[in-house]
Amino acid sequence: MTNNILLKFAKKGINLSPDAYAKVMKSDNPVNLASELIVKLKSNDFKPVDLISVNGKTIDEITGNISTSSDEHAIQDNTHEVESGVESTDETKDKSDIKNTDSIKPKSKLETSNDKDESSEGIVKKEDSEKIEDAKIQFKRNLEKSNVEYDFEVLQDSSNKSYTSGEIGDLITYFQSRYEKLSKILKQRPDLKMTTKIADIEDGQTTLNLILMVKEIRTTKNGHKFIEFEDDTGSLSILFSNKNEELFADAEKLVRDEVVGVIANKDGDFVIANQLIYPDVTRIEEKEMDFGIVFLSDVHIGSLTFLEDAFKKFIDWINCEYGNEEQRKVAEDIKYLIVAGDIVDGIGVYPNQDKELSIKDIREQYEEAARFLGNIRSDIKIIITPGNHDASRLAEPQPAVPEEYAKSLYKLNNVEFVSNPAVVSLDGINVLIYHGESFNELPMAIKGLSYEKNEQMMEELLRKRHLAPIYGERTPLASELEDYLVIEKVPDIFHTGHIHINSYKKYNGIHLINSGTFQTQTEYQKIKNIEPTPAQVPVIDKGQYKLFRFID
């Protein structure tokens, strides 16, 4: 019931603080109370910004348990309540798995990386540069005007396109949008140019070419897969035999609600699959680029485990003031910096988070973030998307971080805010940015996937052409009138975060990058035996992948 209650609010763009959530769940009938609260919260008395984190006082006010004026429902600035829009029950902590991921204990020295598919610049060492002053970073660089010309374009941003009411009709429209978008992609395959709808299958028809959505997956007593599919005309069960090893292995990667092509044989009422066709991405040609892009995520400013010294070194490096000659040369090439969510640690994201915070006010956390980013040289354009720790709604797609909470960041003249997910064009290089909340459930849904090899999860999402295919489980998804998580355009770069483990792979010519974190390992991660990689910064420098480390 917990998941249903949370989704009920998330679908309406409403997020509850820990005490508000507790009050709802302790009521005699949480489902009915949730419905009544949603009606009142969506009335004209409350603004959208008020719904980013509804506190316990607001719940009491609405239910009549206490007497307060209507002016007291606003979000508190200096409390420990949720302002990043994530529930805080123990069940939620387990449900998120990686929601609060952090990083491994810093080593005294880190050697040059020799991972395959990457040419690493290695650790940026103190002895390679002038000694860094211990003084706090001053907000100064952004005051300098830049003469650099940017060919910057936002190709996809759902920030101002949320029209869902959360009703069943919207949910149907949402899945119709998903099916139509992925059908269009699949119909580009030769075997699927001519397809049959389920309702149009004739009695004597033996060969079926179908485009279907997965409804239910079952395993027979003999170990075969018996999968129920559907389209917009009906449903059909298809057998995937384990005797066809290659096909069966492909079928084992199917998850609910994804859209695929199926070639099958029909014998009476019995249908056996011959071929499974994923939407997948076609191989792309690499584009020439004469500049560099830096990829960050999960900085977690405001956390006690935020690696401030390492982040200062990173800023000095990107300002060409730190590192050896070769490392500074790469820094000179940097034109864009992307932050794929969780630039701050948020408030009330998980139980007892306040004990692990150095800054316990969400606005002050963004002020601190502006102080750091404001010291990055002004000729670098910075693109920021939200994550599950940021002050945006939890349900995906997440709109851009509101100016209400990040006023100082909005004042920086080289910062652009976009939604999660988003697609941007940087001088002709298309970058798909997704924080990565769906990584929480993929390892449990698909055998062989793991957090430690998150580049494999990224590859699987590209094969499915969807960033969060499973609806109604661990990843909160808003039933928008359009499914914005379908990967319609094939990107040149796919950038994610959330897992806090740096990874890189090239798939069909596409750079797959998870940018790790600037946070050390938390107690929660120790329990889960998760060892993230701290202060490792990936760069695409003139088309080549490089990795820099900022821990002594």
Side-chain angles (χ1 to χ4, degrees):
M1 183 172 69
T2 297
N3 192 41
N4 291 336
I5 293 291
L6 295 171
L7 284 172
K8 197 175 184 70
F9 282 96
K11 288 175 182 177
K12 296 292 185 179
I14 302 170
N15 294 298
L16 301 179
S17 70
D19 63 327
Y21 171 77
K23 290 177 185 293
V24 174
M25 296 307 295
K26 288 178 182 177
S27 66
D28 293 336
N29 193 325
V31 174
N32 288 348
L33 178 59
S35 298
E36 294 172 6
L37 288 170
I38 287 170
V39 171
K40 293 179 180 180
L41 287 166
K42 297 296 283 188
S43 68
N44 293 332
D45 293 333
F46 294 86
K47 299 176 182 178
V49 69
D50 297 331
L51 307 183
I52 290 176
S53 177
V54 177
N55 59 42
K57 290 183 180 179
T58 300
I59 300 299
D60 287 336
E61 178 185 348
I62 291 177
T63 56
N65 290 337
I66 60 171
S67 177
T68 58
S69 69
S70 59
D71 291 334
E72 291 178 336
H73 70 260
I75 298 172
Q76 303 298 307
D77 288 347
N78 296 302
T79 67
H80 298 165
E81 296 176 5
V82 178
E83 300 215 41
S84 59
V86 183
E87 67 273 17
S88 68
T89 65
D90 290 335
E91 178 180 345
T92 300
K93 191 170 182 180
D94 289 336
K95 156 176 134 171
S96 297
D97 279 343
I98 302 296
K99 178 171 290 188
N100 185 38
T101 49
D102 310 292
S103 29
I104 59 175
K105 296 177 182 178
K107 298 178 182 179
S108 57
K109 288 188 178 180
L110 294 177
E111 67 279 2
T112 298
S113 170
N114 290 314
D115 294 340
K116 63 179 181 179
D117 293 328
E118 68 183 39
S119 65
S120 170
E121 292 299 304
I123 184 170
V124 181
K125 297 181 179 179
K126 181 174 290 187
E127 56 263 35
D128 292 331
S129 180
E130 298 175 0
K131 185 176 179 181
I132 297 178
E133 295 182 3
D134 196 32
K136 281 188 173 291
I137 295 174
Q138 298 296 313
F139 183 99
K140 59 182 181 181
R141 294 267 179 182
N142 195 258
L143 300 179
E144 304 169 5
K145 290 187 177 181
S146 170
N147 295 321
V148 174
E149 293 185 6
Y150 303 94
D151 183 6
F152 171 76
E153 183 180 1
V154 178
L155 302 179
Q156 178 185 325
D157 186 334
S158 60
S159 294
N160 298 312
K161 299 178 181 179
S162 179
Y163 302 114
T164 182
S165 65
E167 303 301 327
I168 188 65
D170 289 353
L171 187 60
I172 293 171
T173 303
Y174 170 81
F175 280 112
Q176 286 175 336
S177 170
R178 176 184 297 194
Y179 180 80
E180 290 168 1
K181 286 183 175 185
L182 290 168
S183 291
K184 185 178 179 181
I185 294 170
L186 283 162
K187 283 183 178 180
Q188 296 174 18
R189 304 299 178 87
D191 291 339
L192 297 173
K193 287 187 180 295
M194 299 295 293
T195 58
T196 303
K197 293 288 188 179
I198 291 175
D200 297 332
I201 297 174
E202 299 177 356
D203 290 339
Q205 193 170 348
T206 58
T207 301
L208 304 178
N209 292 30
L210 307 161
I211 295 177
L212 305 168
M213 180 178 287
V214 179
K215 185 176 182 181
E216 186 179 354
I217 302 172
R218 303 193 302 274
T219 302
T220 71
K221 63 180 181 180
N222 294 322
H224 306 298
K225 291 287 182 185
F226 205 57
I227 301 177
E228 185 178 359
F229 293 95
E230 61 184 338
D231 63 14
D232 50 354
T233 68
S235 61
L236 178 70
S237 293
I238 300 177
L239 179 71
F240 288 79
S241 173
N242 56 20
K243 293 180 181 179
N244 187 336
E245 294 182 4
E246 185 177 348
L247 176 62
F248 189 79
D250 246 4
E252 283 199 302
K253 295 182 179 180
L254 287 172
V255 298
R256 284 193 304 103
D257 306 322
E258 72 171 302
V259 179
V260 293
V262 179
I263 311 298
N265 285 340
K266 180 175 177 289
D267 184 4
D269 293 331
F270 202 59
V271 182
I272 302 177
N274 285 332
Q275 186 180 355
L276 183 61
I277 304 172
Y278 282 90
D280 212 340
V281 290
T282 55
R283 178 168 291 278
I284 62 170
E285 292 185 8
E286 292 188 47
K287 298 175 182 175
E288 291 186 7
M289 55 184 295
D290 61 355
F291 59 95
I293 308 172
V294 171
F295 300 88
L296 294 182
S297 66
D298 302 274
V299 183
H300 289 280
I301 293 168
S303 169
L304 288 171
T305 53
F306 165 53
L307 293 166
E308 181 172 344
D309 288 343
F311 199 62
K312 287 179 181 179
K313 292 175 185 177
F314 159 71
I315 290 177
D316 282 340
W317 166 75
I318 204 171
N319 287 336
C320 307
E321 298 172 350
Y322 189 70
N324 60 33
E325 184 178 354
E326 184 178 358
Q327 292 161 348
R328 293 190 193 203
K329 182 66 179 67
V330 174
E332 290 174 3
D333 295 335
I334 302 303
K335 191 173 183 179
Y336 297 97
L337 165 62
I338 301 177
V339 185
D342 287 0
I343 191 169
V344 299
D345 203 51
I347 307 291
V349 180
Y350 54 89
N352 300 315
Q353 185 192 12
D354 60 298
K355 296 178 182 178
E356 300 181 18
L357 291 175
S358 61
I359 302 174
K360 300 185 178 183
D361 181 280
I362 189 70
R363 292 176 177 83
E364 290 181 11
Q365 288 181 8
Y366 282 113
E367 289 279 346
E368 184 77 346
R371 194 170 62 82
F372 281 110
L373 297 189
N375 197 40
I376 290 176
R377 64 183 214 251
S378 58
D379 62 345
I380 294 177
K381 184 174 285 293
I382 303 170
I383 300 102
I384 299 175
T385 72
N388 57 302
H389 282 250
D390 283 295
S392 182
R393 77 176 185 190
L394 180 60
E396 296 178 353
Q398 292 180 283
V401 175
E403 186 174 359
E404 166 76 13
Y405 293 96
K407 289 182 179 179
S408 294
L409 280 173
Y410 271 84
K411 290 178 181 177
L412 301 182
N413 56 29
N414 60 339
V415 171
E416 304 280 348
F417 288 90
V418 293
S419 64
N420 169 44
V423 181
V424 295
S425 174
L426 310 179
D427 286 36
I429 304 298
N430 294 341
V431 183
L432 169 59
I433 313 166
Y434 175 56
H435 181 62
E437 185 78 12
S438 68
F439 291 158
N440 290 344
E441 58 193 350
L442 284 177
M444 288 172 287
I446 302 175
K447 182 196 272 185
L449 295 185
S450 67
Y451 303 126
E452 290 76 17
K453 296 182 179 180
N454 54 73
E455 72 278 3
Q456 294 178 357
M457 290 196 280
M458 297 174 70
E459 179 181 333
E460 197 60 38
L461 294 181
L462 288 177
R463 290 185 72 219
K464 298 178 186 303
R465 296 293 287 267
H466 200 284
L467 296 170
I470 306 172
Y471 188 91
E473 292 190 11
R474 290 174 174 252
T475 307
L477 300 175
S479 53
E480 301 285 355
L481 301 183
E482 180 180 348
D483 189 347
Y484 295 108
L485 277 75
V486 173
I487 304 172
E488 295 185 80
K489 296 180 175 65
V490 179
D492 300 299
I493 301 171
F494 182 20
H495 176 209
T496 63
H498 192 56
I499 302 298
H500 292 212
I501 298 175
N502 182 278
S503 65
Y504 174 76
K505 183 177 183 178
K506 226 167 180 190
Y507 176 65
N508 282 351
I510 303 168
H511 297 277
L512 312 186
I513 299 172
N514 190 298
S515 45
T517 185
F518 265 91
Q519 189 181 35
T520 58
Q521 190 180 41
T522 64
E523 292 301 318
Y524 175 68
Q525 287 184 314
K526 291 176 183 177
I527 294 171
K528 292 290 184 180
N529 197 30
I530 298 167
E531 294 189 348
T533 54
Q536 297 186 12
V537 178
V539 179
I540 298 294
D541 178 44
K542 297 181 178 179
Q544 298 298 312
Y545 177 82
K546 301 179 187 293
L547 184 66
F548 293 89
R549 303 170 190 258
F550 293 91
I551 290 183
D552 290 334

